[in-house]
Amino acid sequence: MNAELLKNIIILTQGKANLTGIRKQGYTYSQIAQAIAEAENKGFLEMVDNRLLVTDVGKEYVEKANKRTSQGGSANWIIPQGQYYKKPVHRYAVLFEKKSS
């Protein structure tokens, strides 16, 4: 399973993100459901009173994953929005506004 997806599932379960961010990264609902099941099997999540809760092991996993990728601070609670990244414009490029009718 993708480690980044697993980390995002744990962040989602903490209530610090929503499913839309994960869906926009290109994951299907079935992949998300499989990731949730895997996170539960690995002990990162647990079901208590019909609610998924993050365990201490899950919190440690997110912290270690952020350290491996040199992310900290807001990376602990914000899912990256890579779909909005645009290639930088060349410094000598000329941009024209769209002609309004």
Side-chain angles (χ1 to χ4, degrees):
M1 181 60 58
N2 184 349
E4 190 67 25
L5 175 60
L6 203 53
K7 182 182 92 167
N8 289 341
I9 291 296
I10 295 170
I11 292 171
L12 174 74
T13 306
Q14 288 176 328
K16 298 178 180 177
N18 62 32
L19 194 61
T20 306
I22 296 174
R23 287 279 298 141
K24 286 185 178 180
Q25 291 177 1
Y27 295 106
T28 63
Y29 288 112
S30 62
Q31 290 173 321
I32 295 169
Q34 289 172 353
I36 292 171
E38 183 177 337
E40 195 172 1
N41 289 339
K42 288 186 175 185
F44 300 149
L45 305 175
E46 66 181 353
M47 184 71 78
V48 177
D49 296 329
N50 288 331
R51 292 187 65 207
L52 271 177
L53 300 176
V54 180
T55 62
D56 292 334
V57 176
K59 291 176 185 176
E60 289 175 18
Y61 178 81
V62 171
E63 289 174 11
K64 286 180 183 177
N66 287 336
K67 286 180 184 176
R68 278 194 308 263
T69 58
S70 301
Q71 293 178 335
S74 63
N76 293 328
W77 50 274
I78 297 176
I79 295 176
Q81 302 291 315
Q83 69 273 13
Y84 296 117
Y85 175 78
K86 293 184 180 179
K87 194 173 182 179
V89 178
H90 190 272
R91 68 187 312 179
Y92 297 113
V94 177
L95 302 175
F96 295 101
E97 288 188 33
K98 192 174 188 179
K99 186 176 181 181
S100 58
S101 303

